[in-house]
Amino acid sequence: MTTASPDSEPARSPGVDRAIDAWRRTGEFPFPEMQFFPPLSVEEFSPIDLRLIHHIASVSRQMHFKDASRYTIWTGRVPVFLKIASSYTFVLHAILALSATHLAWASECSATGNIAYHHRGIALKGLQEAIGQFSRDNSDAILAASILLSLQSTEWDHWSSLMWGTSSVVEAMRPWKSASYFEDFMDEQSAFPLAPPSPRPSAEHHAQANMATLQHVMVSLQEVKSRLPCNDRERRALSDLISFVRQLGSALPAQGAAEQFKLLQPLRSWLIWLPTSILQQKGGSPGGLIVLAHFYAVALAIEPLFVALGAAFFGSMSLAPLEAIIDTLISGRVPAEGGMDVEELLSFPLEMVRVVRTRISWIHQNAERHESFSPHHLGSSFAESRPPMMTQSSPQMDMPQLRLHDASFSAAYDSNGFSNFESYAASPTFLSDAHGLDYAASAPSFTTGFVPPSAWT
């Protein structure tokens, strides 16, 4: 079923090796609560690939039993991804790539990064082929692979192409949305593509307004850091976030979507990978949850400074887990420590949720008012669709509109040159080429020290 991973591999864990040996002997998946049909055929996988499957399933299971999945962006969807992957090889490779990327970030292991590049290339090739045969039957698989690969994208061209395609697939799936595994995902996404560009001040006050926003963020972060009782890991995370915001101020204004994407990539990587590291400790201490809440809140706060990327870049990722954290802490389901004033420590995240929810409410009210003029009518033919980062009144975007009735899904995903994937699947040494995709640079390289006790557990 799969193409073997490169021979190099990161450090091994005896506990994981024993579980995989039992899996290979019995054919029974190590996590009974994640059983799916058809089952994965163990004999078709290399030992490294089995360990990658075990790792991603283990992380998801750990977050589930700690009741922490809703505080993360992706762990709660792993069982569905695996179920779909049992029938679609390209989705399986996308999961293997995600698992290896997570390990590469957590352990700073270059060998694991090479494995991620290998599987990502195969997944991209398979996704392109599946798009050419888009149907109701394979639509969930296409959407699953698009979500998985977008989480791993660290280059603007790659990410924006995936967002074009994801938006197109979501629109085409509306008629059978209720039958999809991703109905909730489509509902979550619906608010953000509709969003107008973030408010822009006049040119003479633009820089001043940006700095005022960043100053407000900095003051909020410094205040919570000075008052929050937390461990060294969580305090280091806040320090890194403060440093990021400070450096962001010196880098503005950023011209163009690619430059803005590059500036925000460290924060985006934290949002994707950091929560599982912090939440490994008892599902997250109150201090850890407050730290994560501030990461998500910062993403929502600085989004208006980067209109070329659109609200979907951070909004659809950050709002749901932030609201889940706030709900848990305010309700007292995780008891406060040492006389901690939770509401006061959450004042900045609460402010950002109110701002974003007010804006979404305003958008939907206006959308309903003008519903009769909507260009979307999905039936036997596909309707006009825009990617999440585009809006009608966003002159900063220079991408053409995608019209599904006169452009294939392949064109949506291929708008940045994803037409030749054979070289990507062959070897990591071919993953930086004329297509402009530099996968050799795609493994985030942070030195914040957020390394789990064992990366392979």
Side-chain angles (χ1 to χ4, degrees):
M1 176 183 290
T2 66
T3 301
S5 297
D7 292 335
S8 58
E9 59 178 299
R12 303 176 66 163
S13 164
V16 173
D17 286 345
R18 286 193 295 270
I20 290 174
D21 286 343
W23 183 11
R24 299 181 78 171
R25 287 195 313 271
T26 65
E28 296 181 3
F29 193 56
F31 308 103
E33 66 279 0
M34 291 188 190
Q35 292 296 344
F36 40 81
F37 185 84
L40 295 173
S41 299
V42 182
E43 62 275 6
E44 297 181 6
F45 297 94
S46 71
I48 295 175
D49 290 345
L50 290 176
R51 290 167 62 201
L52 289 173
I53 296 171
H54 184 282
H55 171 73
I56 204 73
S58 175
V59 171
S60 175
R61 180 179 184 270
Q62 185 180 27
M63 293 297 102
H64 172 73
F65 283 108
K66 292 179 181 292
D67 195 26
S69 295
R70 59 202 186 109
Y71 311 143
T72 74
I73 290 169
W74 55 270
T75 61
R77 297 191 187 278
V78 167
V80 169
F81 289 144
L82 286 171
K83 180 178 179 62
I84 296 172
S86 67
S87 299
Y88 292 91
T89 303
F90 68 96
V91 179
L92 179 60
H93 281 287
I95 291 176
L96 292 169
L98 182 76
S99 181
T101 303
H102 179 253
L103 282 165
W105 186 88
S107 63
E108 301 181 23
C109 176
S110 60
T112 313
N114 288 337
I115 295 171
Y117 314 145
H118 171 83
H119 286 294
R120 190 154 47 238
I122 300 173
L124 283 166
K125 181 177 184 295
L127 174 60
Q128 185 73 27
E129 293 171 350
I131 291 163
Q133 302 174 15
F134 177 84
S135 67
R136 176 169 178 167
D137 290 341
N138 73 356
S139 58
D140 268 350
I142 289 172
L143 186 53
S146 300
I147 295 169
L148 288 163
L149 291 171
S150 68
L151 290 173
Q152 304 169 58
S153 299
T154 61
E155 298 294 331
W156 163 251
D157 286 348
H158 182 202
W159 181 82
S160 60
S161 179
L162 284 167
M163 290 298 98
W164 270 81
T166 300
S167 177
S168 304
V169 170
V170 166
E171 285 302 319
M173 291 175 66
R174 297 289 181 194
W176 61 83
K177 182 183 75 169
S178 61
S180 170
Y181 287 118
F182 299 104
E183 180 180 10
D184 62 329
F185 172 84
M186 290 187 270
D187 288 338
E188 289 171 6
Q189 299 296 307
S190 63
F192 295 97
L194 289 170
S198 304
R200 294 185 66 102
S202 59
E204 61 269 23
H205 296 298
H206 182 63
Q208 182 179 355
N210 285 351
M211 293 311 298
T213 297
L214 292 178
Q215 182 64 25
H216 177 54
V217 172
M218 283 290 293
V219 169
S220 300
L221 291 176
Q222 288 169 343
E223 182 175 353
V224 77
K225 182 184 176 184
S226 68
R227 302 179 60 186
L228 179 64
C230 56
N231 61 36
D232 290 342
R233 174 186 296 192
E234 295 156 357
R235 189 168 300 279
R236 192 160 58 249
L238 277 177
S239 297
D240 288 341
L241 185 57
I242 290 171
S243 296
F244 168 80
V245 175
R246 184 180 295 114
Q247 292 170 9
L248 201 61
S250 64
L252 292 177
Q255 302 299 324
E259 185 179 351
Q260 293 182 15
F261 185 95
K262 183 177 180 180
L263 278 177
L264 294 179
Q265 183 56 32
L267 177 56
R268 185 169 177 270
S269 293
W270 282 327
L271 297 180
I272 294 170
W273 310 120
L274 180 60
T276 55
S277 179
I278 288 182
L279 293 168
Q280 281 183 328
Q281 296 185 340
K282 301 178 182 179
S285 64
L289 290 176
I290 290 172
V291 168
L292 288 181
H294 280 79
F295 271 83
Y296 291 128
V298 167
L300 295 175
I302 67 175
E303 176 270 317
L305 281 59
F306 299 90
V307 292
L309 301 180
F313 183 75
F314 278 146
S316 59
M317 290 171 57
S318 302
L319 185 58
L322 175 55
E323 288 182 320
I325 290 172
I326 289 173
D327 176 64
T328 295
L329 291 171
I330 296 296
S331 67
R333 288 198 294 274
V334 175
E337 300 172 343
M340 182 187 298
D341 189 335
V342 170
E343 286 202 42
E344 190 169 350
L345 290 168
L346 286 174
S347 59
F348 175 59
L350 283 166
E351 174 193 358
M352 292 318 305
V353 168
R354 284 193 295 268
V355 168
V356 174
R357 280 298 176 193
T358 299
R359 184 172 174 227
I360 291 174
S361 177
W362 180 88
I363 292 163
H364 281 297
Q365 289 173 10
N366 281 271
E368 291 170 2
R369 191 176 306 151
H370 300 288
E371 190 174 13
S372 60
F373 300 100
S374 172
H376 299 287
H377 178 71
L378 292 176
S380 58
S381 62
F382 296 134
E384 178 182 332
S385 174
R386 289 184 178 83
M389 71 288 295
M390 284 191 66
T391 57
Q392 288 188 356
S393 54
S394 180
Q396 291 77 20
M397 294 304 297
D398 54 7
M399 295 183 185
Q401 290 185 12
L402 172 65
R403 299 177 181 275
L404 293 181
H405 58 268
D406 62 8
S408 68
F409 287 126
S410 297
Y413 281 85
D414 199 64
S415 60
N416 289 289
F418 298 142
S419 58
N420 180 9
F421 294 98
E422 286 76 6
S423 62
Y424 300 153
S427 167
T429 60
F430 290 93
L431 296 179
S432 179
D433 64 5
H435 294 279
L437 299 179
D438 187 7
Y439 283 102
S442 66
S445 56
F446 298 110
T447 57
T448 53
F450 295 104
V451 181
S454 174
W456 283 97
T457 57

